[in-house]
Amino acid sequence: MGGVILIVIAALLLFGPNKLPDLGRAVGRTFREFKEATRDIMDDEPPVKKTEPLPPRPEQPQAAERRLPE
């Protein structure tokens, strides 16, 4: 918590109280754009075509079937 207070005081001394809201908005916009860009990168996986056959599933040993007496 002390580090945050120190950063705020340094920002006030460097930029002044009039420029601080503009600086906060710019930082917020930057974070928002970065978040949207990373989301777009994650969503850019190529879609699977519906006409492509699915890859074959590996064969799994079948469990012995139990039959009930009739």
Side-chain angles (χ1 to χ4, degrees):
M1 192 64 177
V4 174
I5 293 172
L6 184 63
I7 291 173
V8 170
I9 291 172
L12 278 171
L13 291 174
L14 288 174
F15 300 108
N18 294 336
K19 293 282 184 177
L20 209 53
D22 294 333
L23 183 65
R25 269 187 235 108
V27 170
R29 266 189 244 119
T30 303
F31 282 138
R32 188 177 320 117
E33 288 176 9
F34 178 76
K35 190 176 179 180
E36 289 173 1
T38 55
R39 187 179 305 133
D40 288 343
I41 290 172
M42 298 296 279
D43 291 341
D44 279 346
E45 294 179 11
V48 176
K49 295 180 183 177
K50 290 184 179 181
T51 58
E52 291 180 6
L54 295 175
R57 293 176 45 191
E59 292 293 324
Q60 301 216 354
Q62 297 292 325
E65 293 183 27
R66 292 185 181 177
R67 293 187 180 190
L68 297 174
E70 295 180 10

